[in-house]
Amino acid sequence: MTGESVGRYLQQCRQQRGVALTALATRVCPLDVLAAIEQGQRSPSVAQLTQLYQQLGIVRNRPLPQSYPIRRLPVFDRRLQSWWQKQAYGQLVANVAAGDVLRQLTTDTDRQAILYYYGRSLAAIGDVEAAQLHLRAGLMFMTPQSPQVYRSLDLLLLAAENSVRDLTTPEPDLSGFDRAVTVIREGRVRDMPENLTLVFYQYAQAQLNLNRPQAAITLLREAIAWDVQHQTTYLLPDCYLLLALALKMTQPERAAFFHLADQPEKF
């Protein structure tokens, strides 16, 4: 994290909400400290960032933008979108499992999209083995299996499957992440680049879990640069917070963060 980049982001959020610098400082930290953070002269700690987010109503753990791939689904897309946005993962899983959803879909992209959201929802409610099974099934619809140009959904599936796989095996295997990030870096993506910050973010989480903070720092800086380049902010708070953690990287703080990151935001 550069102090300048996170400070500029916090300043923009504060100004958009009409909160005075002095008023915010009285709730979080000394005025000179907050001013130095906003001016890029000082990097906030994990605790300071968390407090600033709470005071400014900055939401972490937001789902993917609604534009893709949910908007393409021809069947029950409003219910699916509503459950995903509300983090009602159990309802989404129960609906897909109980019906003949996949048989109603007409394109491989739609099938991939359902399997992506279904797999991630299964992982969120703790059914890791089923999650991995369905995410892998989504990857089977990728044609060809090693294309020259990928869709963003292909890369999201690769990252999600790798994240879940890491929960089921003691041996670290980051091949899915490596493949997805290489494709992004080489510019071989045909659509909706704003979603792809999530690939960098999940890869950074995996690196932190393996006690590789420097690799995580590199990935998170790429994620932030990607967000800025494509003018999307939906994962910026998460990236800044995880980056602050990676820079400090003490075991208690890391454990506390991952516990915190698993909880939905409530303001």
Side-chain angles (χ1 to χ4, degrees):
M1 164 174 46
T2 64
E4 179 183 2
S5 59
V6 70
R8 183 168 59 249
Y9 172 69
L10 291 169
Q11 184 181 62
Q12 289 172 349
C13 291
R14 177 180 62 77
Q15 292 173 344
Q16 288 169 358
R17 290 157 175 77
V19 179
L21 183 67
T22 51
L24 183 59
T26 59
R27 306 175 210 163
V28 179
C29 59
L31 179 60
D32 60 333
V33 172
L34 183 56
I37 289 172
E38 285 199 357
Q39 294 165 14
Q41 299 170 355
R42 177 172 181 155
S43 294
S45 67
V46 175
Q48 286 171 332
L49 262 183
T50 302
Q51 287 183 299
L52 287 166
Y53 287 174
Q54 291 173 343
Q55 292 298 325
L56 292 172
I58 298 173
V59 180
R60 295 181 297 105
N61 304 321
R62 284 197 279 179
L64 291 174
Q66 298 182 18
S67 58
Y68 182 84
I70 286 178
R71 68 179 174 84
R72 296 196 65 259
L73 298 176
V75 182
F76 62 84
D77 55 341
R78 290 183 181 177
R79 286 186 296 164
L80 178 65
Q81 178 170 316
S82 174
W83 291 328
W84 181 259
Q85 298 293 332
K86 294 176 182 177
Q87 298 182 334
Y89 303 120
Q91 286 180 276
L92 192 153
V93 166
N95 180 268
V96 176
D100 57 349
V101 171
L102 289 174
R103 288 195 294 273
Q104 297 179 55
L105 303 177
T106 57
T107 71
D108 286 350
T109 299
D110 291 332
R111 295 183 183 96
Q112 272 192 304
I114 288 291
L115 289 165
Y116 173 78
Y117 286 104
Y118 187 48
R120 288 210 46 203
S121 296
L122 284 165
I125 65 174
D127 195 344
V128 177
E129 291 185 1
Q132 186 175 19
L133 178 67
H134 287 87
L135 290 168
R136 284 181 173 174
L139 287 170
M140 294 302 294
F141 287 107
M142 188 167 62
T143 306
Q145 283 295 293
S146 296
Q148 285 300 309
V149 180
Y150 290 70
R151 294 169 300 167
S152 60
L153 183 54
D154 297 331
L155 303 179
L156 291 171
L157 277 161
L158 281 168
E161 191 278 333
N162 205 151
S163 291
V164 172
R165 186 186 343 133
D166 286 345
L167 300 175
T168 63
T169 175
E171 296 297 325
D173 177 3
L174 303 179
S175 56
F177 286 125
D178 287 334
R179 181 178 174 187
V181 166
T182 297
V183 169
I184 296 170
R185 287 171 177 164
E186 293 175 353
R188 296 190 283 123
V189 188
R190 71 173 65 158
D191 65 318
M192 306 303 275
E194 67 267 24
N195 289 340
L196 297 180
T197 308
L198 183 59
V199 174
F200 290 106
Y201 181 80
Q202 289 180 320
Y203 197 0
Q205 284 185 313
Q207 294 286 13
L208 277 185
N209 284 332
L210 294 171
N211 201 28
R212 300 171 182 172
Q214 196 54 55
I217 288 167
T218 298
L219 289 161
L220 288 163
R221 285 177 171 155
E222 284 190 80
I224 291 167
W226 186 271
D227 264 352
V228 171
Q229 179 185 353
H230 295 92
Q231 299 182 334
T232 179
T233 60
Y234 84 102
L235 266 185
L236 268 180
D238 305 72
C239 290
Y240 282 133
L241 189 58
L242 194 60
L243 186 49
L245 186 72
L247 288 167
K248 192 161 188 179
M249 199 57 184
T250 63
Q251 185 65 38
E253 283 201 355
R254 190 163 79 250
F257 170 80
F258 283 116
H259 173 73
L260 180 66
D262 286 339
Q263 309 305 312
E265 291 289 348
K266 294 180 181 179
F267 293 103

